[in-house]
Amino acid sequence: MTDWTACAADTIAAVATPLGMGGIAIVRVSGPDARQVADRVFRPVRRRRSGGSALEHRRGWRAVYGRVYDSSGEFIDEAIMLSMPGPASYTREDVVELSCHGGPAVIRAVLQAVLEAGARHAGPGEFTKRAFLNGRISLERAEAILQVINARTERARRSASAFLSGESGRMVQESREAVAQLMTIIEASLDFPEDDIPEMQLLEIGNEARRIAVDLYRAASDTHRSRVLWEGASVAIVGRPNVGKSRLLNALLREERAIVSDRPGTTRDTVSEVANIRGIPIQLIDTAGMREAVDPLERIGVERARGALADADIALAVIDGSMPLAPEDLAIVMSTPEHRTAVVISKSDLSEAFAGEDVGGRVGNRRVLRVSALTGNGIDQLEAEIEALAVAREVDFGETAQSFGARRADCLGRAANALDEVARATGEGVPPDMLSIDLRVAIDALGEITGQTAREDIIDRIFEQFCVGK
């Protein structure tokens, strides 16, 4: 676990831009000695008339052009140094950023010079952790930053940006304050037993608790639906050989990724690609045709197909609509999870060998769609079904919830459940001291979202998901 007491005692540095070739790269330095560290490696091209260092100036943001040197005095690169004195910086500490040319060797040399000048290499997310610990951002805002960075689609980016804007954070904080007010009323009655809470006021407390609970349940539901935008979902495409699985994969990807052939058994291993389906990152897994295989390699492919089906969030069970319906088709469909499977009757551009009703009445509650990967007919409807299944998939919250969406929904749900219990108890004449227990549960659960009551190990896990330099 991180020693938080030492966080503000040292100065950290890291590369804040992706490694590789680029126009510029940035080395970020934060901490009490950031200005002194920068002074040891950076020399302005034009020194101030009074002499002294580049950072001996008024306490404000300033950009200076100059050169970076290593500990032996050897020139490394030209750079622009941006100084941001605390608390008017990202971490609320003194921050210095050196913007140099973006070659890998150059940026490594500049970072090494900064480390030799007295900084320590930052860990993953340590700059953002300092911003949180120094009160600049809440834990929820920090997690929203991570979601913005990791957003893989525009829809996911917009959703993460909504959290980053602070609107949801205000709702959580306002709800927590409202619960705290109820707690104050209850605790006052415990401190002064002679002033019993009138029954009417207890009912009002219950009504207010129920109102807050409804808002929190709604927010938890919204978070649950948004979670799939950030985390995505996996879709296994299964079926007998030569039913059109690979062509369906290509149609959903909008590119020729999988080899398509009329010869059965062409796909002998799983092929996985990520598609942007209605703003959701969907990992599509094309599998080998399921049948009793004689060839050892094909047999391995079939086993991997079964494994992919077991691990996937969603299944697309593909049936060739131009061929008579076979018992093996229905057997494969029935081997898929009913609540997260769509049955795809492929090759709808060819003559239909059977009616959709022949399948619909024999596959339970699985939705049946006719699709032509060749013409694109039905692809839009299939994408809509994938979206619906992805959003509706079950999520296991609780102690294992570590991602932003899962953790937030779990906290909101626990707070809402506790407030529901308060509302029920006030109508049943439960003593006020028992009400205070559930109110405290709700306050602590909401505080976990903002970071006010979150455990240190949870906070450490959150920031470990960040890249080094953020």
Side-chain angles (χ1 to χ4, degrees), residues 117-187:
R120 169 179 65 78
H121 200 291
E126 192 167 357
F127 293 98
T128 303
K129 176 183 281 188
R130 291 192 175 199
F132 163 68
L133 295 177
N134 291 329
R136 184 184 178 276
I137 59 175
S138 67
L139 188 60
E140 184 180 35
R141 290 284 299 277
E143 290 181 287
I145 291 170
L146 180 62
Q147 298 309 316
V148 168
I149 293 172
N150 292 339
R152 289 178 284 176
T153 67
E154 177 60 18
R155 185 177 172 186
R157 194 277 306 161
R158 289 198 304 269
S159 178
S161 295
F163 284 96
L164 185 59
S165 69
E167 290 295 330
S168 62
R170 280 192 290 274
M171 185 278 293
V172 171
Q173 189 60 35
E174 289 170 0
S175 297
R176 192 168 189 264
E177 291 171 358
V179 177
Q181 289 178 359
L182 300 181
M183 187 75 165
T184 299
I185 298 172
I186 297 296
E187 291 184 340

Side-chain angles (χ1 to χ4, degrees), residues 194-431:
E194 64 277 8
D195 297 329
D196 290 338
I197 301 177
E199 182 178 352
M200 183 61 66
Q201 188 173 11
L202 278 176
L203 292 176
E204 291 175 356
I205 290 174
N207 290 336
E208 176 66 3
R210 182 172 287 108
R211 182 194 66 78
I212 301 172
V214 169
D215 290 341
L216 296 179
Y217 279 131
R218 185 181 300 113
S221 178
D222 291 343
T223 300
H224 170 69
R225 286 194 296 270
S226 297
R227 183 186 175 194
V228 71
L229 300 178
W230 309 316
E231 299 178 18
S234 57
V235 175
I237 305 174
V238 299
R240 289 193 299 133
N242 209 33
V243 295
K245 299 185 298 298
S246 297
R247 196 180 295 277
L248 181 63
L249 171 75
N250 292 340
L252 291 170
L253 289 173
R254 303 308 201 263
E255 64 175 279
E256 297 297 318
R257 171 61 181 86
I259 298 174
V260 176
S261 171
D262 292 333
R263 178 182 175 184
T266 300
T267 302
R268 296 199 172 193
D269 199 356
T270 57
V271 177
S272 178
E273 288 289 338
V274 176
N276 180 350
I277 295 181
R278 303 205 167 194
I280 302 174
I282 298 292
Q283 182 186 21
L284 298 170
I285 307 167
D286 181 22
T287 65
M290 290 183 174
R291 65 177 177 180
E292 291 297 326
V294 177
D295 183 90
L297 290 178
E298 186 180 357
R299 191 181 303 119
I300 294 173
V302 172
E303 290 302 316
R304 290 186 177 180
R306 293 194 178 100
L309 175 60
D311 294 337
D313 300 311
I314 300 167
L316 299 183
V318 184
I319 300 174
D320 186 347
S322 67
M323 301 293 290
L325 185 63
E328 291 82 2
D329 290 318
L330 293 175
I332 292 172
V333 171
M334 300 309 290
S335 71
T336 63
E338 183 175 6
H339 64 287
R340 50 190 177 92
T341 297
V343 179
V344 180
I345 301 177
S346 66
K347 306 181 184 181
S348 65
D349 53 290
L350 303 177
S351 299
E352 296 182 2
F354 56 89
E357 293 76 13
D358 295 338
V359 177
R362 304 165 68 181
V363 296
N365 292 322
R366 300 170 181 84
R367 187 178 176 191
V368 180
L369 304 96
R370 280 194 177 273
V371 170
S372 171
L374 185 64
T375 66
N377 183 48
I379 292 297
D380 286 344
Q381 291 83 351
L382 177 58
E383 289 182 340
E385 181 64 13
I386 292 173
E387 177 190 23
L389 290 172
V391 171
R393 68 191 178 101
E394 295 180 0
V395 180
D396 182 19
F397 296 141
E399 288 298 319
T400 59
Q402 296 184 21
S403 70
F404 172 49
R407 195 183 75 85
R408 187 175 191 277
D410 172 58
C411 293
L412 290 169
R414 284 190 283 116
N417 289 337
L419 291 171
D420 254 353
E421 185 62 22
V422 171
R424 181 197 62 78
T426 54
E428 297 179 358
V430 174

Side-chain angles (χ1 to χ4, degrees), residues 84-96:
M84 296 165 277
S89 69
Y90 181 63
T91 61
R92 281 195 170 169
E93 303 172 330
D94 285 348
V95 173
V96 175

